[in-house]
């Protein structure tokens, strides 16, 4: 039995359990994947979106990662960054990057270690991880992450045969067809399929960006997706949420020939000059999330590029988070070093988790389905 200290943070409704391994090793690589279930599960654990691990970027940590997971032909150079950012999905798989998670890490570094800015290595599972800058404003109005410049989605994450290059960083998907059952849309339309134009960009995670007002074959559906709670139209909200979930699930389940590792799906609408509303279905958790930092950047970047706008600052309003927090927003700024996102993370609490050790190897764990993991952890709880 281990006792794992952790801290829980939230940013725009996304919540994270952070385990600090900068001073000592608490979890083996196998245990990180298994602990992700306890961290993210509300019934058998803590409850959050993702588990975050922060480590020193040194030879020991990089060799340990590669020895267990075999991500790289040669490990990255330790002098590239001060820290390593790790994010694990509920399944135990390691994700690439997370804007809101990185902003929470920035706040944590200041709160715990007095560090106001740092270089951090992210996108760990890719052949070439990326080093970026994170930090917290000295007046404590928020944390920021410079995600660099958006770029083309790595070939291991998308089949380029289905996409046309329309920008140095953007692929265009001309017509993605999402099908529905006969009665799914009966109350709203006679159609049983939706043809969608989408733009694909990589901002640390692969993101499809869709502006339903112009990119849907049935643009009237956009009003359901962006129906707000302040309108008091419960039926419209419910259908809009179902529509986002259906499209996101359909693309992730039926379009693996295009997106072999899954895809984040963003729905966006311009509200005013420099203000965009966004909903995001995340591939790692297989559902809509309250907010997404890398998705917000993808939306702002594509909007500015497609409309040839010289935008230096955009406010992206996370639609679902705004149901609970009317002032929620992710600020996007462009400068010579790239694109910076910022928000105001909050530390919720710190605690210790009583974590049972198991002998399962990492490959055995990742080959098990979710139900098997739940069953084993229930047995342990008893």
């Amino acid at each position: 039995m281990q006792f794992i200290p952790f801290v829980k943070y939230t940013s725009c409704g996304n919540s994270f359990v952070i385990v600090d391994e900068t001073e000592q090793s608490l979890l083996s690589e196998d245990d990180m994947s298994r602990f992700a279930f306890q961290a993210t599960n509300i019934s058998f654990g803590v409850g959050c979106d993702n588990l975050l691990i922060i480590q020193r970027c040194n030879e020991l940590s990089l060799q340990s990662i590669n020895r267990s997971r075999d991500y790289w032909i040669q490990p990255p150079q330790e002098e590239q960054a001060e820290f390593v950012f790790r994010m694990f999905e509920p399944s135990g798989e390691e994700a690439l990057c997370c804007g809101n998670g990185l902003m929470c890490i920035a706040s944590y570094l200041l709160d715990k270690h007095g560090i106001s800015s740092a270089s951090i290595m992210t996108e760990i599972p890719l052949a070439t991880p990326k080093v970026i800058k994170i930090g917290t404003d000295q007046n404590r109005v928020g944390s920021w992450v410079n995600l660099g410049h958006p770029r083309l989605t790595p070939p291991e994450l998308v089949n380029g045969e289905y996409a046309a290059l329309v920008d140095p960083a953007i692929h265009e998907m001309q017509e993605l067809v999402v099908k529905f059952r006969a009665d799914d849309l009966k109350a709203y339309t006679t159609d049983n399929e939706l043809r969608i134009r989408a733009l694909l960009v990589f901002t640390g995670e692969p993101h499809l960006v869709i502006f339903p007002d112009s990119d849907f074959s049935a643009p009237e559906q956009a009003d359901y997706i962006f129906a707000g709670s302040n309108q008091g139209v419960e039926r419209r909200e419910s259908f809009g949420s179902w529509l986002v979930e259906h499209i996101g699930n359909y693309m992730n389940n039926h379009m693996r020939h295009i997106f072999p590792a899954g895809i984040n799906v963003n729905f966006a609408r311009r509200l005013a000059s420099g203000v965009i509303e966004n909903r995001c279905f995340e591939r790692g958790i297989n559902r809509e999330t309250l907010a997404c930092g890398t998705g917000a950047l993808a939306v702002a970047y594509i909007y500015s590029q497609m409309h040839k706008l010289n935008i230096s600052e955009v406010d992206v309003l996370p639609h679902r988070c705004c149901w609970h927090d009317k002032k929620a927003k992710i600020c996007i700024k462009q400068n010579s070093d790239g694109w910076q996102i910022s928000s105001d993370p909050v530390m919720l609490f710190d605690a210790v988790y009583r974590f049972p050790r198991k002998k399962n190897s990492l490959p055995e764990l990742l080959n098990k389905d979710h139900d098997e993991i739940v069953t084993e952890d229930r047995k342990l709880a008893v």
Side-chain angles (χ1 to χ4, degrees), residues 63-315:
Q63 287 185 349
S64 176
I65 293 169
N66 213 33
R67 185 166 53 248
S68 296
R69 300 179 186 271
D70 197 27
Y71 288 148
W72 318 303
I73 297 175
Q74 291 290 334
Q77 297 298 310
E78 59 183 284
E79 61 269 16
Q80 288 181 278
E82 298 165 84
F83 298 97
V84 176
F85 172 82
R86 316 281 302 278
M87 185 173 87
F88 292 87
E89 306 286 8
S91 65
E93 292 189 37
E94 186 164 4
L96 299 180
C97 184
C98 177
N100 279 323
L102 283 160
M103 285 187 282
C104 288
I105 291 290
S107 283
Y108 173 78
L109 284 175
L110 184 63
D111 294 340
K112 177 67 176 180
H113 299 287
I115 297 172
S116 60
S117 65
S119 58
I120 192 163
M121 187 176 292
T122 184
E123 300 175 28
I124 299 301
L126 291 183
T128 305
K130 185 177 178 63
V131 176
I132 60 175
K133 284 282 192 179
I134 66 174
T136 301
D137 292 337
Q138 292 184 353
N139 58 7
R140 295 308 308 270
V141 296
S143 295
W144 54 265
V145 176
N146 191 323
L147 288 167
H149 296 279
R151 56 200 194 277
L152 281 178
T153 303
E156 60 263 42
L157 301 178
V158 62
N159 186 338
E161 294 179 5
Y162 296 91
L165 185 64
V166 297
D167 176 273
I170 300 172
H171 279 120
E172 181 180 26
M173 306 289 184
Q174 280 286 358
E175 192 171 89
L176 299 173
V177 178
V178 175
K179 296 185 180 296
F180 299 84
R181 295 172 300 181
D183 293 333
D184 280 347
L185 305 179
K186 186 176 180 180
Y188 306 96
T189 178
T190 58
D191 295 338
N192 61 4
E193 68 176 34
L194 186 63
R195 296 180 303 282
I196 299 172
R197 172 185 178 265
L199 297 169
L200 175 68
V201 67
F202 189 79
T203 56
E205 276 280 332
H207 284 282
L208 275 182
V209 175
I210 301 162
F211 284 84
D213 290 297
S214 57
D215 295 339
F216 274 9
S217 60
E220 63 273 12
Q221 302 297 332
D223 287 336
Y224 294 111
I225 287 179
F226 293 107
S229 58
N230 59 343
Q231 294 175 278
V233 188
E234 183 177 348
R235 185 184 182 197
R236 291 164 60 88
E237 284 180 15
S238 178
F239 178 69
S241 296
W242 176 86
L243 191 59
V244 168
E245 294 279 340
H246 179 82
I247 294 171
N249 275 306
Y250 191 94
M251 288 187 175
N252 278 273
N253 293 332
H254 296 274
M255 297 181 184
R256 289 283 173 168
H257 57 296
I258 305 176
F259 310 110
I263 189 67
N264 300 298
V265 184
N266 291 265
F267 304 88
R269 170 181 271 182
R270 178 187 178 276
L271 297 182
S273 178
V275 182
I276 300 174
E277 194 170 8
N278 182 38
R279 299 186 75 160
C280 182
F281 180 97
E282 285 198 13
R283 63 183 185 131
I285 57 176
N286 297 310
R287 58 177 169 81
E288 182 181 2
T289 185
L290 291 186
C292 179
T294 57
L297 173 54
V299 165
Y301 176 77
I302 282 183
Y303 183 76
S304 67
Q305 295 301 103
M306 291 301 95
H307 294 276
K308 308 298 181 185
L309 301 174
N310 185 20
I311 295 177
S312 60
E313 188 168 341
V314 179
D315 287 340

